[in-house]
Amino acid sequence: MKRDVILRMAAVFLGACLMVGCGKEPAEEETQAAESVAEQSSDVQESVSSGQDEAVDGSTQAELAEDTETDAHPEVVLDTFDDLTGDQLYAAALLYREKEDFATALQFMHEAFDRGCDDALVEVAAWYFVDKAPLADGQDNNEEAIKLMNLATDRDNAMAAYYWGIIYAGGGFPALEGGADPNVIAPDMDKAIEYYEESIELGYNKAFKFLGNMYVNGEYGVEADVEKGVSYYKMGAEKEDFTCTHLYADCLYNGTGVEQDVEEAMRLYQWLVDVQAHNKNDYAWGAYMLGKIYDEGVYVTKDDEKAKSYYELAASLGNEEAQEALN
């Protein structure tokens, strides 16, 4: 394995990152710490050394290094701080992805999966599918992507099952423009649903929202079944998925596919506010809906002060409906 880049100054800042689950978006404080990593590590990427190392974790990791190592995207070995987890490096890689710096993000991802974060295999595969990750001459993006997806699938990776669902549904990958080429992997909704269900069984909660939306809206050629769709939102909410909580609360508030229960809807909206859901759309929506409920005074005693407070919070998070309500 090559030691082409040593990020010497990143230790202090990566050490500040809290432990994050692989494949989950970091919370706000974790994001701030990882942003410091990105800023500081970019200052030292000119410090380059070369050498040879063996793979970190046995034959599977050696195979992975052989499959993915090319001159176009050398591996990173952060040997200055061996106590860092693959999860922390994965979180830093996602920040570089957001900056559209896929070359640096790929370096962090390589070290992340060497340190046991299998989700990094899936994320990099998605980059190959959409031609974001650089490859050496003669390598085929789709072949490399499928190879990495199969490695992750063989290891019962939940994110891999979810991404296979996206691929067979003909959808786009999260935070990326586009998805797999349908001429390479033909869409197949039966397979997509099977993989989404498998990802749920393996503990990947994001599939609840997709299946809920699919049945509620009758998408992808599937016959609409609102009650079934709402049941997926509910299951996701029970797993504390922020977006499913938002969507299930809306269904309870409106009586869509479930008996109306405004009290329970308010409890769920309040939970999104209390935990400051890291998806700001869900956080803001919870605050807006509470403001709306207190503003209208239909289901609770009208309280202009509370309504304004919730509206102001939602508006500060970018919710346009709240901004209009304050005008």
Side-chain angles (χ1 to χ4, degrees):
M1 188 190 303
K2 295 180 180 179
R3 251 181 221 184
D4 293 305
V5 181
I6 299 178
L7 308 178
R8 302 181 187 280
M9 294 173 62
V12 173
F13 298 94
L14 274 173
C17 289
L18 300 175
M19 188 74 71
V20 292
C22 206
K24 297 180 176 62
E25 297 297 331
E28 184 172 356
E29 64 271 16
E30 294 157 353
T31 300
Q32 291 171 349
E35 283 173 349
S36 296
V37 176
E39 292 171 2
Q40 296 297 319
S41 64
S42 64
D43 293 336
V44 296
Q45 289 193 34
E46 294 180 0
S47 297
V48 177
S49 65
S50 60
Q52 298 293 325
D53 267 321
E54 294 182 355
V56 174
D57 187 25
S59 59
T60 302
Q61 297 296 348
E63 177 186 357
L64 177 59
E66 181 179 350
D67 285 340
T68 61
E69 183 178 339
T70 73
D71 291 337
H73 48 79
E75 301 236 359
V76 174
V77 178
L78 308 178
D79 61 350
T80 310
F81 29 90
D82 293 335
D83 58 329
L84 296 177
T85 68
D87 294 358
Q88 291 169 316
L89 295 168
Y90 180 93
L94 293 182
L95 287 173
Y96 278 112
R97 179 195 69 185
E98 291 174 7
K99 298 173 184 289
E100 292 289 314
D101 183 356
F102 284 90
T104 304
L106 196 61
Q107 294 166 355
F108 275 96
M109 283 296 182
H110 282 180
E111 189 65 18
F113 54 61
D114 274 340
R115 298 193 187 188
C117 182
D118 290 345
D119 284 2
L121 291 167
V122 183
E123 183 67 28
V124 172
W127 299 353
Y128 284 148
F129 275 126
V130 298
D131 296 325
K132 291 289 188 181
L135 284 170
D137 290 342
Q139 287 187 297
D140 180 88
N141 276 34
N142 291 310
E143 288 181 3
E144 293 301 311
I146 293 170
K147 198 180 294 185
L148 293 181
M149 286 292 293
N150 286 336
L151 274 173
T153 301
D154 289 344
R155 298 168 80 162
D156 291 327
N157 180 267
M159 184 175 170
Y162 180 71
Y163 273 48
W164 279 125
I166 292 174
I167 291 166
Y168 281 110
F173 298 118
L176 297 172
E177 294 180 1
D181 185 346
N183 294 316
V184 175
I185 302 177
D188 184 328
M189 277 313 299
D190 289 337
K191 284 187 176 180
I193 293 171
E194 181 180 335
Y195 274 115
Y196 281 130
E197 294 282 7
E198 181 181 343
S199 74
I200 288 171
E201 291 176 6
L202 292 170
Y204 203 76
N205 296 335
K206 291 182 180 180
F208 286 116
K209 182 190 79 170
F210 180 91
L211 291 170
N213 287 344
M214 183 182 71
Y215 284 111
V216 166
N217 301 317
E219 298 171 344
Y220 300 98
V222 174
E223 184 177 352
D225 185 335
V226 176
E227 290 186 5
K228 185 171 185 178
V230 172
S231 74
Y232 279 110
Y233 293 155
K234 180 181 180 181
M235 287 186 283
E238 290 170 347
K239 297 290 186 180
E240 298 188 344
D241 178 86
F242 296 131
T243 302
C244 282
T245 300
H246 159 183
L247 294 171
Y248 183 53
D250 286 351
C251 292
L252 288 168
Y253 177 77
N254 294 305
T256 302
V258 67
E259 185 177 352
Q260 186 179 39
D261 188 341
V262 176
E263 183 178 354
E264 178 64 6
M266 290 182 69
R267 186 188 71 80
L268 293 175
Y269 290 137
Q270 187 64 56
W271 179 79
L272 289 170
V273 171
D274 290 343
V275 299
Q276 299 182 8
H278 69 248
N279 182 335
K280 286 188 177 180
N281 290 331
D282 300 321
Y283 181 10
W285 185 255
Y288 166 70
M289 285 300 297
L290 289 167
K292 181 176 185 287
I293 291 168
Y294 282 109
D295 186 15
E296 294 178 345
V298 174
Y299 301 104
V300 297
T301 302
K302 184 177 174 64
D303 190 324
D304 292 337
E305 185 176 338
K306 278 187 177 182
K308 182 181 179 182
S309 176
Y310 282 118
Y311 280 151
E312 287 177 342
L313 173 59
S316 72
L317 295 167
N319 182 273
E320 294 181 358
E321 290 93 334
Q323 292 168 0
E324 291 176 4
L326 289 168
N327 292 333

